Amino acid sequence: MCLAIPVEVKEVLPDNMAKVTLDGVSKIVSTALIDDVRPGDYLVLHVGYALAKINPEEAERTLALIRQAAAMGDAG
């Protein structure tokens, strides 16, 4: 099983890299598989590689589901 999560681009860096954030945590990731990445874009991230762009609404829905699942796990 693999997990890919939505992240927001904060800064585009040289060499097909970008600084992204998720819940206040920043990470430098590869954007080599995606064209025209800009700050504010949401990307689907898997193991340090951005796989695709995703619209902000879908990103927020996905993150809400992930948070809900995590909260259920904490309650059990």
Side-chain angles (χ1 to χ4, degrees):
M1 179 171 106
C2 69
L3 176 65
I5 55 172
V7 294
E8 183 180 2
V9 176
K10 291 298 183 179
E11 183 180 354
V12 176
L13 304 171
D15 300 322
N16 293 314
M17 302 298 282
K19 183 178 187 179
V20 300
T21 63
L22 174 61
D23 286 340
V25 177
S26 295
K27 181 170 180 70
I28 305 297
V29 302
S30 172
T31 58
L33 302 174
I34 303 173
D35 293 327
D36 196 32
V37 174
R38 297 177 184 198
D41 285 346
Y42 281 83
L43 308 174
V44 176
L45 181 70
H46 176 65
V47 196
Y49 290 89
L51 302 177
K53 286 187 184 181
I54 187 172
N55 70 51
E57 295 82 15
E58 184 64 23
E60 288 303 324
R61 281 194 299 271
T62 302
L63 290 171
L65 287 171
I66 292 170
R67 289 180 187 114
Q68 183 181 17
M72 290 173 61
D74 290 340

